[in-house]
């Protein structure tokens, strides 16, 4: 089966640093794919490449077998093909939650005002924010902002959802709630999910497959299920990363 | 009792450092350099022993002291035994030694020569100008598409923006313009009264406000007020990933963020400029009437005679350009902001300085152009 996202021999740099080199991996339809590694290893930079926010050479990143460079300017790539939840939610602060979710719908669909209103209410209720339509981002908590960001990310029912550190800054209860929500979205809508994280609880709770970006060798040093990575890897960095405070039986 | 360290020579080859007392970074304590100097001055010393006697308490001061001693001994191949070091201190020393050191540096630390410096500045100016012209090109394309109805601007946000850059700026424009008119008239009265030519105060104030001061003062006010606000707002959006979120939601950053701001300020600037010019003339009138024998009617009649339609249009044309470039610079600087709060401040400052410089340069260019056109 053709992978949903495919990365082939990608080299990444950031401010003249070579961050990572020779990255190759595939993300399959319907899986929750994790990009893990220590802080500063380049996970968020990789996400920017995957989202087309950083220029990339031809034939390095593919969506459904098509080069990202031929797709990013096509209508529907952002929104319909991919949706993103950023670390802090990245809600547009001058708009209410309802307006945040409605904006992509107003711009890219031919729905009328009432239909948009209904879909906005539906998306907000899916993330547990029913009744918060007229709140501004500054009036709600960090966890709620993330959930509102998720409602916006799924506004156009994207095929692939990207998450940048979804549990960062959340307490364990809120983080678990977000994990459950991600699982639910994956199960219900069949969305493919790519998550950049270093949160161990999330890694083992929801990850289907993961790649480990090694800060020292500047490449992927392991790929597999999170348990496989922990049990079969000989790499001291991976073991140290995955075994912190976690007992695997 | 403060921190004490004493150096004793056990025999020809052994140096003993006795450490005692309370070591605190807030109190005076011995410095490692004196001990290192003494030890290294005696080439016969092969080993250094550390002895802890009656050590009451310690903090980073003692750890730093010991690390300096250890490093110096290691570099001179002297044996030093740290077994006697209290466990807590030993652990912290070991921890500091195990921390990985980044060996590569992103930028050269070498101080550039004068030629390199000039070259770098030249390249920076060239590439900044190139980037800005590219940005202006995108904006102009956006304006063309907007006029042809291919790009839509959210009307509610646009109306709020017009209010923000226009109506809300009226009080400050009023104050500054009134005072500028007042000052020009005051200086003119002082000089012209010596020749009995008080009536020409109206000419001076009218022409100065209509042609130059109205648009320049409004431009400077809008650079500091609106241009800075654009840069800070967009810069903060960059820091909060809101701009990335817009991009990954499929919106054009230029059309969504910059275009409404640029159009709003380009439309509002001429109106503010006209307002500023008339308020400046009002300021001049107040001075002239109160400081000379001129009447209100005479002043107004003289102003109407002196100021022609050309002067009015010169001010309007210039203010349109000023508005466009103030907004464009503010938006572009905001979009160049990196992901730190410090950068937002820097971006805002740069936007204001660049806008004001651009206004003065443009005004000089316009002066030449209008002079060639005989206006």
């Amino acid at each position: 089966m053709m992978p949903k996202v495919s990365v082939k021999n990608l080299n990444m740099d950031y401010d003249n640093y070579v961050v990572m080199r020779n990255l190759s991996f595939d993300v399959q339809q319907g899986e929750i794919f994790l990009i893990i590694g220590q802080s500063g290893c380049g996970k968020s930079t990789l996400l920017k490449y995957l989202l087309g926010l950083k220029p990339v050479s031809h034939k390095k990143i593919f969506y459904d077998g098509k080069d990202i460079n031929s797709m990013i300017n096509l209508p529907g790539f952002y929104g319909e093909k991919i949706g993103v939840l950023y670390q802090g939610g990245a809600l547009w602060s001058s708009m209410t939650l309802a307006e945040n979710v409605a904006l992509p719908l107003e711009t890219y669909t031919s729905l009328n005002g009432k239909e948009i209103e209904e879909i906005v209410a539906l998306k907000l209720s899916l993330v547990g924010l029913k009744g918060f339509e007229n709140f501004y981002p500054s009036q709600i908590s960090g966890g709620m902002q993330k959930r509102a960001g998720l409602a916006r990310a799924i506004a156009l029912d994207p095929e692939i959802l990207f998450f940048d550190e979804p549990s960062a800054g959340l307490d364990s209860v809120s983080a678990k709630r977000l994990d459950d929500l991600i699982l639910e979205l994956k199960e219900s809508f069949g969305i493919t999910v790519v998550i950049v994280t270093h949160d161990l609880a999330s890694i083992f709770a929801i990850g289907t497959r993961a790649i480990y970006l090694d800060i020292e060798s500047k490449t992927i040093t392991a790929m597999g299920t999170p348990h496989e990575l922990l049990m079969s890897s000989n790499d001291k960095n991976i073991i140290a990363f995955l075994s912190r405070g976690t007992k695997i039986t | 009792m403060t921190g004490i360290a004493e150096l004793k020579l056990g025999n020809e080859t052994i140096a003993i450092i006795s450490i005692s007392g309370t070591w605190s970074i807030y109190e005076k304590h011995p410095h490692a350099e004196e001990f290192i100097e003494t030890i290294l001055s005696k080439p016969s010393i092969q080993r250094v022993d550390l002895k802890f006697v009656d050590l009451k308490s310690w903090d980073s001061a003692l750890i730093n002291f010991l690390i300096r001693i250890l490093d110096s001994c290691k570099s001179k191949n002297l044996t030093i035994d740290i077994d006697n070091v209290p466990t807590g201190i030993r652990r912290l020393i070991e921890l500091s030694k195990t921390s990985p050191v980044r060996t590569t540096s992103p930028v050269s630390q070498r101080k550039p020569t004068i030629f390199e410096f000039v070259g770098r500045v030249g390249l920076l100016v060239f590439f900044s100008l190139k980037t800005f012209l590219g940005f202006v090109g995108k904006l102009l394309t956006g304006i063309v598409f907007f006029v042809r109805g291919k790009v839509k601007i959210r009307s509610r946000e646009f109306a709020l923006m017009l209010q923000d850059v226009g109506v809300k700026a009226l009080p400050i424009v009023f104050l500054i313009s009134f005072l500028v008119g007042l000052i020009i008239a005051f200086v003119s009265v002082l000089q012209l009264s010596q020749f009995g030519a008080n009536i020409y105060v109206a000419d001076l104030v009218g022409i100065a406000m209509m042609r130059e001061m109205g648009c320049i003062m409004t431009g400077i006010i809008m650079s500091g007020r609106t241009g800075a606000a654009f840069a800070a707002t967009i810069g903060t959006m960059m820091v909060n990933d809101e701009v990335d979120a817009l991009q990954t939601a499929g919106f054009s950053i230029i059309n969504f963020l910059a275009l409404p701001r640029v159009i709003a300020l380009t439309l509002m600037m001429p109106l503010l400029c006209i307002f500023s010019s008339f308020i400046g003339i009002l300021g001049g009138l107040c001075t002239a009437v109160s400081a000379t024998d001129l009447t209100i009617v005479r002043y107004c009649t003289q102003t109407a005679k002196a100021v022609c339609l050309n002067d009015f249009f010169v001010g309007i044309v210039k203010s349109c350009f000023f508005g466009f470039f103030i907004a464009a610079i503010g938006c572009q600087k905001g979009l160049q902001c990196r992901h730190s709060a410090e950068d937002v401040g820097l971006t805002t400052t740069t936007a204001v300085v660049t806008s004001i410089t651009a206004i003065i340069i443009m005004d000089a260019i316009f002066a030449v152009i209008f002079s060639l056109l005989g206006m």
Side-chain angles (χ1 to χ4, degrees):
Chain A
M1 200 168 76
M2 185 176 285
K4 232 27 214 162
V5 186
S6 189
V7 175
K8 294 191 195 306
N9 302 318
L10 174 70
N11 292 331
M12 307 193 306
D13 51 59
Y14 186 88
D15 274 1
N16 300 332
Y17 278 118
V18 174
V19 181
M20 284 280 150
R21 55 182 164 240
N22 224 9
L23 303 182
S24 295
F25 61 88
D26 291 332
V27 180
Q28 300 298 339
Q29 161 73 40
E31 71 176 341
I32 297 182
F33 189 85
L34 307 175
I35 297 167
I36 61 175
Q38 293 176 51
S39 299
C41 72
K43 301 186 294 290
S44 295
T45 309
L46 175 57
L47 185 68
K48 282 187 185 270
Y49 277 98
L50 291 174
L51 296 174
L53 294 175
K54 278 176 93 66
V56 63
S57 317
H58 284 276
K59 297 186 177 172
K60 295 289 177 191
I61 299 173
F62 299 87
Y63 281 87
D64 291 323
K66 290 177 195 156
D67 193 324
I68 188 172
N69 289 305
S70 66
M71 298 187 75
I72 44 176
N73 291 324
L74 293 179
F77 176 69
Y78 292 117
E80 284 173 47
K81 183 63 123 185
I82 65 169
V84 193
L85 174 61
Y86 289 90
Q87 217 174 101
L91 294 168
W92 301 310
S93 45
S94 59
M95 300 180 198
T96 63
L97 300 195
E99 286 168 340
N100 263 278
V101 182
L103 187 60
L105 293 164
E106 285 168 1
T107 314
Y108 296 109
T109 68
S110 51
L111 298 170
N112 62 37
K114 193 170 181 323
E115 286 171 320
I116 288 174
E117 216 172 277
E118 285 166 3
I119 291 178
V120 168
L122 169 73
K123 301 288 175 180
L124 284 173
S125 63
L126 280 177
V127 298
L129 288 173
K130 200 173 179 183
F132 284 88
E133 283 84 352
N134 296 321
F135 280 64
Y136 281 91
S138 58
Q139 295 172 313
I140 57 174
S141 71
M144 289 159 100
Q145 285 185 20
K146 285 206 176 178
R147 281 188 277 146
L150 182 54
R152 186 183 63 190
I154 59 170
L156 294 170
D157 297 325
E159 295 171 30
I160 311 161
L161 254 182
F162 289 89
F163 291 82
D164 186 11
E165 304 278 7
S167 50
L170 295 185
D171 63 86
S172 53
V173 177
S174 306
K176 187 181 178 308
R177 216 162 150 191
L178 197 61
D179 284 348
D180 292 342
L181 196 59
I182 294 169
L183 275 175
E184 191 60 47
L185 287 171
K186 180 225 158 193
E187 295 298 330
S188 312
F189 291 102
I191 295 174
T192 305
V193 179
V194 179
I195 304 177
V196 165
T197 185
H198 54 224
D199 181 67
L200 283 178
S202 292
I203 291 169
F204 288 104
I206 61 172
T208 317
R209 258 176 353 116
I211 52 168
Y212 181 83
L213 303 184
D214 188 56
I215 198 165
E216 284 171 16
S217 55
K218 295 186 174 184
T219 193
I220 298 170
T221 51
M223 194 182 305
T225 67
H227 285 83
E228 279 171 4
L229 257 55
L230 178 63
M231 306 309 270
S232 61
S233 178
N234 297 321
D235 189 319
K236 64 176 184 1
N237 289 339
I238 300 176
I239 295 167
F241 181 86
L242 289 172
S243 58
R244 178 176 57 88
T246 311
K247 283 200 169 83
I248 305 298
T249 50
Chain B
M1 182 182 170
T2 54
I4 298 168
E6 286 174 341
L7 180 70
K8 288 177 195 161
L9 298 175
N11 57 40
E12 287 274 300
T13 58
I14 302 173
I16 303 164
I17 301 174
S18 299
I19 293 160
S20 58
T22 303
W23 285 71
S24 165
I25 53 170
Y26 302 106
E27 288 175 31
K28 222 175 162 191
H29 55 265
H31 291 282
E33 283 76 14
E34 301 157 20
F35 294 82
I36 294 165
E37 225 169 82
T38 315
I39 292 167
L40 297 183
S41 68
K42 296 184 189 306
S44 59
I45 292 175
Q46 301 291 314
R47 205 180 92 192
V48 176
D49 283 354
L50 297 170
K51 217 169 137 189
F52 293 84
V53 190
D54 199 20
L55 180 64
K56 303 277 185 211
S57 65
W58 52 270
D59 63 9
S60 305
L62 181 55
I63 294 168
N64 189 42
F65 176 85
L66 291 172
I67 287 174
R68 301 289 298 272
I69 299 278
L70 286 168
D71 286 348
S72 299
C73 290
K74 203 177 161 192
S75 67
K76 297 292 171 191
N77 289 323
L78 301 178
T79 312
I80 185 161
D81 189 5
I82 60 164
D83 286 348
N84 291 334
V85 177
T87 319
I89 300 174
R90 200 170 61 232
R91 275 193 201 146
L92 287 170
I93 291 172
E94 282 164 0
L95 190 65
S96 74
K97 298 289 173 198
T98 53
S99 171
V101 180
R102 179 150 217 161
T103 49
T104 54
S105 171
V107 284
S108 164
Q109 298 296 316
R110 187 173 59 83
K111 204 177 164 191
T113 63
I114 183 78
F115 297 110
E116 282 175 327
F117 179 74
V118 171
R120 280 182 197 177
V121 170
L123 284 174
L124 187 74
V125 171
F126 174 74
F127 285 113
S128 302
L129 210 61
K130 194 178 157 197
T131 314
F132 181 68
L133 287 177
F135 185 76
V136 169
K138 285 179 190 168
L139 277 174
L140 292 174
T141 315
I143 290 173
V144 170
F145 283 135
F146 172 69
V147 171
R148 291 168 67 181
K150 288 185 179 174
V151 170
K152 287 198 175 79
I153 290 177
R154 288 161 59 80
S155 51
R156 196 171 70 97
E157 266 77 24
F158 186 62
L160 287 171
M161 202 149 292
L162 284 175
Q163 186 194 19
D164 199 44
V165 303
V167 181
K168 288 188 178 173
L170 287 175
I172 183 74
V173 173
F174 178 94
L175 179 72
I176 302 292
S177 306
F178 185 80
L179 291 176
V180 167
L182 207 100
I183 293 162
I184 295 173
F186 187 70
V187 175
S188 307
V189 165
L190 285 180
Q191 299 303 315
L192 294 172
S193 60
Q194 294 175 34
F195 309 102
N198 286 339
I199 188 66
Y200 294 111
V201 172
D203 297 48
L204 267 170
V205 174
I207 294 169
M209 286 311 298
M210 281 290 177
R211 282 189 78 100
E212 297 293 336
M213 297 313 283
C215 55
I216 288 186
M217 291 320 293
T218 313
I220 290 172
I221 295 165
M222 297 316 272
S223 298
R225 185 189 177 274
T226 311
F230 288 172
T233 307
I234 297 176
T236 310
M237 286 179 80
M238 289 288 287
V239 173
N240 293 337
D241 288 333
E242 289 177 50
V243 175
D244 280 352
L246 273 173
Q247 217 170 327
T248 50
F251 295 102
S252 155
I253 301 305
I254 301 285
N255 294 347
F256 197 89
L257 286 179
L259 203 57
R261 288 173 166 81
V262 170
I263 294 175
L265 195 55
T266 312
L267 288 177
M268 281 295 132
M269 266 296 280
L271 301 178
L272 288 170
C273 172
I274 295 168
F275 176 74
S276 165
S277 302
F278 281 107
I279 296 301
I281 290 169
L282 179 71
L285 184 142
C286 292
T287 307
V289 170
S290 59
T292 67
D293 54 357
L294 284 174
T295 62
I296 294 175
V297 176
R298 239 188 121 197
Y299 186 92
C300 291
T301 317
Q302 185 65 24
T303 303
K305 264 194 221 165
V307 178
C308 62
L309 213 54
N310 266 356
D311 300 325
F312 184 74
F313 281 118
V314 165
I316 301 277
V317 170
K318 284 201 287 191
S319 62
C320 281
F321 277 88
F322 291 174
F324 177 87
F325 280 100
I326 292 165
I329 290 167
C331 293
Q332 197 230 3
K333 295 291 172 196
L335 288 170
Q336 283 178 341
C337 184
R338 312 272 297 259
H339 285 77
S340 76
E342 191 191 358
D343 240 31
V344 177
L346 195 68
T347 296
T348 311
T349 313
T350 318
V352 175
V353 173
T354 315
S355 298
I356 293 175
T357 313
I359 286 171
I360 304 299
I361 292 171
M362 278 192 288
D363 194 61
I365 295 169
F366 275 120
V368 175
I369 293 171
F370 288 130
S371 146
L372 289 174
L373 293 173
M375 288 176 81

